[in-house]
Amino acid sequence: MLRTVVAALAALTLCLAPSASPAETRVPESQAEISLSFVPLVKQATPAVVNIYARRTVETRSPFAGDPLFGNLFREFGGRPRVQNSLGSGVILSDDGIVVSNYHVVGQATDIRVVLNTGEEYAATVLLGDEESDLAILKLEGAGDMPYLALRDSDTVEVGELVLAIGNPFGVGQTVTSGIVSGLARSGTATGNARGYFIQTDAPINPGNSGGALIDVNGDLIGVNTSILTRSGGSNGIGFAIPSALVAQFVEQARAGNDGFARPWAGMTGQPVDADLSESLGLGLPGGVLIAAIHAESPFAKAGLGVGDVVLAVDGQPVNTPPEMIYRMSVAGLGHVARIRYLHDGERREAEVEMIAAPETPPRDAVTLDDRAVLPGLSLARMNPAVATELDLPMAAEGVVVTDPGLYAARIGLRRGDILLTIDGRAVTDPDRVDRLLRRAAPRVEIEALRGNRRSIVRFRT
């Protein structure tokens, strides 16, 4: 029996001995070699993973708000501030206390407390947050000489690598789970508002793990845990982490003073190339993003790409969906000149495309109507790519758009993102002209507006 055990251990160490020749065998010389545990790695990494307690105040809406009959009678019913508490995790990324977490953990929080695994507690403020990427960068107040994790380039991560997920699931305290990288280039599969590109892992991730660390066997951060795919509410072995390459861009922009994440503007709409499209385009295998429409100011258009071309890769990395393409552009960063590989009329080409912010062309000419106006507090702007991006409107939208309806315009039914077409039958072409058109139409005003693909008429008396 003893010979069998020794022989098994000797066979196991064939792959573990760093300098052993193919024919050499040896018996394990230490308890660490026999146990093969993650203890040293956990001791190294856990001090840099923190628990986050956030509090935010939200306004509750009365069910009778806006009702012409019951609105005034029950205006005290509901509409009172309510405090929400959230629990999550975060990762320290620098010795001066820069922390990354999820936006859904700390976004719009009025009070944030960060607790280290030693019990030390710090107040924190949000330097930069982005709901779409579900990332937020925090700064610990009064912090110095902090433990932190180094960022590994997530583009070097491969399926099958061993990983550890560290966080505070269910508020039970810091917990470590292990698994492997089970998928890459996962786009459109995470829950919530997050969109883009994710690392998939089977390391168990549960509520409270959000914002925690996904590390490799060297203790480097490869991703920030963000969500799970589940029917029961618990971990089913399909978890998603935001890659460290995007986290690095967030840290860079936060240190530069940005309070919101600035993405490069593509100025196009596209669709994935499926099997049918691939066959018609002569690609052989599905892949790439087919350009369906492109703006005249798009940097891709200026580099020679057009409708019908297929974007295959950005900086040597293949792209197969629009979110993945935007992710690659975001990782490249504003000001970078990206190498784009694309297909044009069956021919593979390359182009250099500058990563730019959405342009302010034409100027937005933003105005807010004063207290003497027919609709005081109404904020307006001229449509341009920058405004369309901010309001999540079609890039080809034109005209004058509502950026904030204010109290009075909201009461008559106008919303943020509505495009004003006419006032009393007269075309709205300039934000500065809106107040004059409203005054001319008073006391009976009719506004025609476009909301999405639907035209609507708003009539009111002043």
Side-chain angles (χ1 to χ4, degrees):
M1 179 65 180
L2 179 60
R3 290 181 180 178
T4 303
V5 172
V6 172
L9 290 173
L12 175 65
T13 56
L14 281 173
C15 297
L16 301 180
S19 59
S21 67
E24 182 181 355
T25 61
R26 65 184 182 89
V27 175
E29 297 177 354
S30 69
Q31 183 64 34
E33 286 187 356
I34 295 174
S35 63
L36 299 176
S37 75
F38 289 116
V39 171
L41 178 59
V42 171
K43 286 183 177 179
Q44 170 190 335
T46 51
V49 182
V50 299
N51 299 335
I52 297 179
Y53 302 88
R55 178 179 298 175
R56 63 176 62 86
T57 302
V58 296
E59 296 289 337
T60 57
R61 180 179 173 82
S62 168
F64 301 105
D67 189 285
L69 179 59
F70 298 105
N72 290 328
L73 291 175
F74 294 96
R75 62 176 176 269
E76 298 300 326
F77 184 85
R80 296 179 181 177
R82 183 166 57 89
V83 174
Q84 283 185 342
N85 293 300
S86 63
L87 170 68
S89 306
V91 186
I92 304 175
L93 298 179
S94 67
D95 60 359
D96 61 346
I98 293 293
V99 174
V100 63
S101 185
N102 284 145
Y103 182 90
H104 74 259
V105 173
V106 299
Q108 301 177 347
T110 54
D111 179 44
I112 303 172
R113 293 184 299 117
V114 175
V115 181
L116 278 61
N117 71 341
T118 60
E120 294 178 84
E121 184 174 318
Y122 292 87
T125 54
V126 177
L127 298 182
L128 183 154
D130 183 74
E131 187 174 11
E132 182 174 329
S133 294
D134 198 20
L135 281 178
I137 303 299
L138 313 177
K139 179 67 171 67
L140 303 186
E141 297 177 5
D145 197 24
M146 305 293 291
Y148 65 92
L149 294 184
L151 290 172
R152 173 184 166 187
D153 183 0
S154 51
D155 286 339
T156 64
V157 174
E158 296 184 90
V159 174
E161 288 194 36
L162 287 172
V163 291
L164 299 182
I166 309 174
N168 182 20
F170 303 110
V172 300
Q174 195 170 80
T175 303
V176 181
T177 56
S178 66
I180 64 169
V181 173
S182 53
L184 296 172
R186 298 298 193 227
S187 57
T189 50
T191 57
N193 291 310
R195 298 190 305 220
Y197 175 102
F198 301 92
I199 296 172
Q200 181 181 313
T201 178
D202 68 347
I205 296 173
N206 288 291
N209 265 120
S210 294
L214 188 70
I215 63 172
D216 64 11
V217 293
N218 295 314
D220 294 332
L221 186 74
I222 64 171
V224 173
N225 302 324
T226 186
S227 63
I228 58 177
L229 196 61
T230 178
R231 290 190 176 94
S232 63
S235 175
N236 289 337
I238 302 179
F240 299 99
I242 300 167
S244 57
L246 186 61
V247 174
Q249 275 293 323
F250 268 74
V251 173
E252 182 178 325
Q253 291 197 21
R255 288 197 180 277
N258 292 13
D259 58 3
F261 187 65
R263 289 177 180 78
W265 180 67
M268 67 168 74
T269 58
Q271 67 182 82
V273 176
D274 58 17
D276 292 336
L277 272 175
S278 176
E279 184 177 352
S280 65
L281 293 169
L283 278 175
L285 293 174
V289 177
L290 176 68
I291 301 176
I294 192 164
H295 195 282
E297 296 293 325
S298 167
F300 286 83
K302 293 181 178 180
L305 280 76
V307 173
D309 291 344
V310 179
V311 178
L312 301 173
V314 177
D315 280 337
Q317 297 292 338
V319 293
N320 296 306
T321 64
E324 191 176 340
M325 179 176 161
I326 296 300
Y327 165 79
R328 288 294 170 195
M329 293 173 62
S330 298
V331 167
L334 292 173
H336 176 73
V337 177
R339 292 180 294 105
I340 305 298
R341 188 166 71 248
Y342 68 103
L343 189 71
H344 176 80
D345 290 339
E347 177 187 353
R348 293 178 184 265
R349 297 183 179 182
E350 286 199 358
E352 292 187 343
V353 176
E354 185 180 2
M355 300 292 97
I356 64 170
E360 294 275 3
T361 308
R364 68 175 64 200
D365 295 332
V367 299
T368 299
L369 305 190
D370 60 27
D371 292 340
R372 297 168 296 176
V374 173
L375 293 174
L378 174 63
S379 295
L380 305 157
R382 189 195 313 277
M383 285 297 306
N384 63 31
V387 173
T389 300
E390 291 170 12
L391 300 179
D392 197 21
L393 294 174
M395 66 178 183
E398 297 179 342
V400 175
V401 65
V402 176
T403 56
D404 185 350
L407 178 63
Y408 294 95
R411 284 180 176 175
I412 65 171
L414 291 180
R415 300 180 189 173
R416 175 179 165 88
D418 287 351
I419 297 175
L420 304 186
L421 302 176
T422 65
I423 297 176
D424 202 27
R426 295 181 175 86
V428 179
T429 57
D430 191 306
D432 285 330
R433 197 178 173 214
V434 169
D435 190 36
R436 295 196 301 271
L437 292 175
L438 288 171
R439 291 178 184 276
R440 182 181 296 180
R444 297 176 181 270
V445 182
E446 179 182 282
I447 299 176
E448 183 184 10
L450 182 66
R451 180 177 299 163
N453 295 321
R454 297 181 59 184
R455 291 175 179 249
S456 58
I457 302 292
V458 176
R459 297 185 179 92
F460 65 98
R461 290 176 59 93
T462 59

